[in-house]
Amino acid sequence: MEFDFGKFNPKDRYKLLSSTVIPRPIALISTVDTNGVVNAAPFSFFNVFAEDPATCVVGLARHEDGHKRDTARNIEETGEFVINMVDRNLVEAMNVCAVDFEPEVDEFELAGLTPVESRFVVPPRIAESPVSFECKRTVTLQLSVGRDLVVGEILTMHARDGLIDPEKLYLDQEQYDIVGRLYADKYAPLRDIFSLKRWQPNEWFAAHCGKKQDESEQGGE
Ligand SMILES: Cc1cc2nc3c(=O)[nH]c(=O)nc-3n(C[C@H](O)[C@H](O)[C@H](O)COP(=O)(O)O)c2cc1C
């Protein structure tokens, strides 16, 4: 069955996309407005897309009348934001931050979040988050009257003590109780983790065809 996106309205396209591209990581984004009011809101149209430079992208919807929501406006005005990853302990507070409060409302206070001063940017990170990324906006792409895509450079990363081995940079998976967004009000933890070997071309040919790639290409033994 085909779902031709040209024949669907945005609401239905959202249903199709958000229920199939799952699970999506949740960025609880902290920003500060020009009056110093702190804001936090969750975004699951989010991921990282490069490491050189370290780059993240967030998709932000505007209000129905086309004016930007607080996070998008603050990023536009200040160029700075912090992405805080959401784990099981943080989901209730994250959900409070998703409420469409007036701009002057400090979501940190309402959700019981603890702000921690950032090193390179003005918005604070969230102490309760296991991993936070301090970011500067690289560019904002306006996709339509109601949708913006913010591309940002990650300047530094904070991880809860003990979560990442500082020598090997390995993450302790057991301690990382991260939550993904599914669709509507559904969420999922990470579970049933398995490994999948990354093959070198020669190894793959040897394992699957009984000979190495260069041998088979050369017609060797
Ligand atoms: C788990 C979750 C994920 C969300 N993801 C997005 C998203 O990717 N893009 C978006 O525009 N809104 C998203 N929202 C809705 C915003 O969080 C919501 O509109 C919020 O009020 C925006 O806050 P702000 O005005 O402080 O920016 C999401 C909400 C939840 C609960």
Side-chain angles (χ1 to χ4, degrees):
M1 182 175 278
E2 181 185 345
F3 298 89
D4 177 352
F5 275 20
K7 298 193 176 125
F8 287 92
N9 63 39
K11 214 171 172 182
D12 289 336
R13 288 199 291 262
Y14 177 82
K15 267 191 204 162
L16 293 168
L17 290 172
S18 65
S19 62
T20 53
V21 184
I22 54 170
R24 295 182 305 285
I26 305 167
L28 183 54
I29 300 187
S30 28
T31 52
V32 173
D33 73 11
T34 47
N35 297 317
V37 177
V38 183
N39 189 83
F43 296 87
S44 68
F45 279 177
F46 148 73
N47 219 309
V48 289
F49 287 87
E51 74 290 1
D52 189 18
T55 301
C56 59
V57 177
V58 187
L60 304 113
R62 297 188 183 194
H63 286 283
E64 293 282 306
D65 65 3
H67 84 269
K68 287 186 173 175
R69 290 177 187 274
D70 300 341
T71 304
R73 196 200 56 244
N74 293 348
I75 294 175
E76 179 185 22
E77 289 175 357
T78 68
E80 298 183 343
F81 59 106
V82 176
I83 287 178
N84 303 277
M85 300 299 290
V86 174
D87 66 6
R88 275 292 256 274
N89 289 325
L90 205 48
V91 284
E92 297 293 343
M94 177 280 294
N95 209 24
V96 174
C97 295
V99 178
D100 197 9
F101 295 117
E102 292 299 315
E104 59 277 10
V105 168
D106 179 343
E107 277 106 355
F108 270 69
E109 207 183 318
L110 288 189
L113 298 171
T114 315
V116 181
E117 201 174 321
S118 293
R119 203 155 81 85
F120 295 112
V121 297
V122 172
R125 65 189 162 94
I126 294 172
E128 290 78 8
S129 171
V131 172
S132 303
F133 302 100
E134 294 184 25
C135 305
K136 262 197 187 316
R137 186 193 60 225
T138 309
V139 70
T140 301
L141 302 173
Q142 187 176 352
L143 301 176
S144 65
V145 283
R147 297 292 180 279
D148 298 289
L149 212 57
V150 169
V151 180
E153 180 174 356
I154 301 168
L155 306 177
T156 195
M157 164 181 174
H158 304 268
R160 188 178 288 152
D161 286 351
L163 186 61
I164 297 179
D165 176 335
E167 296 297 318
K168 294 185 173 158
L169 305 183
Y170 290 161
L171 175 99
D172 181 352
Q173 191 65 63
E174 294 287 308
Q175 286 191 49
Y176 199 45
D177 198 11
I178 207 75
V179 169
R181 185 173 196 203
L182 304 180
Y183 45 87
D185 60 354
K186 301 278 183 290
Y187 298 85
L190 269 189
R191 56 175 184 257
D192 298 339
I193 295 172
F194 62 93
S195 305
L196 203 55
K197 181 177 169 54
R198 287 291 298 270
W199 299 96
Q200 291 299 322
N202 281 352
E203 278 182 309
W204 190 89
F205 276 107
H208 292 87
C209 308
K211 35 183 154 179
K212 292 190 175 163
Q213 184 184 25
D214 49 354
E215 286 170 354
S216 64
E217 277 170 357
Q218 292 161 15
E221 290 144 36

